[in-house]
Amino acid sequence: MKHRVLVAALLLATTAVSAQTPPSAPTQGAPAAPAQQATPPALPSCPELAAALQAVARNDARLSDWPNLARYREANRSIATPGAGEARVVFMGDSITDAWPQPRFGAFFPGKPYIGRGISGQTTPQMLLRFRPDVIALRPKAVVILAGTNDIAGNTGPMTDEQIQGNLASMADLAKANGIRVIFSSILPVSEYHVRPGDTAPPQTTRRPMARITALNAWMKEYTASNGHVYLDYFAAMTDAKGLLRAELSEDDLHPNAAGYAIMAPLAEAAIQAALRR
């Protein structure tokens, strides 16, 4: 919705500018047309449109830093080179990775040199752009990549499964070229158990069809097996008899709660240890 509003605002602004452009000079000898004062079109009274115009006026950060490279820039500078024998691991992802270190979800791998580099709402092209500063530059032994659900939802525009796969493969290639072991996390299941009467937003199962999730997970499992990487299967451990995200593991049918992360943590640790042994 925000993207549509922004596009409408820009179109209206462009129309207003073009309407005020003075007419070209008449051809020599032709009678001059009477001068007319162009009036820009009136903008409708709409809070969303006003907010969009304000965002354009202040040069919305998403336009100047689309992959959000600034999010971890200072934090990355403060991280020292790994010590001898340190098995540093970076978790790259979206909101599910971003929220994991929050105290309400329990300790984030206490005593482990693991670094979270998730950004809420991000898609695989954004993660690919920040893979060097947020992963490679930190010199980890392994990277855990959890991505794809926001691509399916179209957060940064329509994405085919092949495009998502290409971005994941590119991140894996970058990691491998820099001696970093790769762990692909399955995309988590979603559900529709928390939809309330009167909700206008479509359920997660509509925004993120389970058929696409399972297809991408199947591709990741095959890709990792063929390329010497590790596949981390959250999906199988978090689905119910209907094949949906278990109701007790989420409050919004998408993001895991503390119980969800409690299931994910030992699975992630086992996958990391498997990758480090390779």
Side-chain angles (χ1 to χ4, degrees), residues 156-262:
T156 52
M159 292 283 289
T160 66
D161 289 356
E162 291 74 20
Q163 289 171 327
I164 300 169
Q165 293 164 10
N167 290 330
L168 289 169
S170 292
M171 283 188 268
D173 289 344
L174 283 170
K176 187 175 182 179
N178 286 274
I180 302 169
R181 294 168 178 84
V182 177
I183 301 161
F184 274 171
S185 306
S186 66
I187 301 173
L188 269 62
V190 295
S191 63
E192 51 192 30
Y193 296 130
H194 297 86
V195 176
R196 297 172 177 82
D199 283 352
T200 57
Q204 292 298 341
T205 49
T206 299
R207 295 195 64 211
R208 298 167 166 86
M210 290 294 290
R212 291 194 67 185
I213 292 176
T214 55
L216 282 167
N217 286 344
W219 175 86
M220 280 191 271
K221 187 174 183 178
E222 180 180 352
Y223 179 88
T224 52
S226 300
N227 290 274
H229 305 316
V230 173
Y231 178 63
L232 170 51
D233 191 0
Y234 294 134
F235 186 93
M238 301 179 77
T239 50
D240 60 17
K242 296 180 180 179
L244 302 177
L245 177 61
R246 287 158 50 187
E248 71 274 16
L249 301 182
S250 176
E251 310 302 329
D252 64 0
D253 300 321
L254 173 64
H255 300 92
N257 54 20
Y261 284 115

Side-chain angles (χ1 to χ4, degrees), residues 93-178:
D94 47 43
S95 58
I96 295 172
T97 301
D98 196 357
W100 201 338
Q102 294 180 14
R104 64 192 174 113
F105 297 126
F108 181 71
F109 301 96
K112 299 285 187 177
Y114 297 172
I115 301 170
R117 285 296 178 264
I119 297 181
S120 180
Q122 284 214 326
T123 56
T124 56
Q126 292 173 304
M127 294 180 207
L128 179 57
L129 286 172
R130 64 184 182 89
F131 200 81
R132 286 187 179 277
D134 287 352
V135 177
I136 295 172
L138 304 183
R139 299 176 64 179
K141 293 287 186 182
V143 59
V144 180
I145 302 171
L146 174 54
T149 190
N150 292 328
D151 299 68
I152 294 173
N155 278 23
T156 52
M159 292 283 289
T160 66
D161 289 356
E162 291 74 20
Q163 289 171 327
I164 300 169
Q165 293 164 10
N167 290 330
L168 289 169
S170 292
M171 283 188 268
D173 289 344
L174 283 170
K176 187 175 182 179
N178 286 274

Side-chain angles (χ1 to χ4, degrees), residues 1-68:
M1 178 61 185
K2 291 181 179 179
H3 294 297
R4 290 197 294 270
V5 171
L6 183 56
V7 169
L10 293 174
L11 288 173
L12 286 169
T14 303
T15 302
V17 171
S18 62
Q20 297 179 66
T21 303
S24 57
T27 305
Q28 187 173 4
Q36 295 182 352
Q37 181 64 39
T39 303
L43 298 180
S45 176
C46 174
E48 290 187 1
L49 181 56
L53 290 171
Q54 290 172 1
V56 172
R58 67 173 179 267
N59 191 18
D60 191 336
R62 288 172 298 179
L63 301 179
S64 59
D65 186 11
W66 183 70
N68 205 349

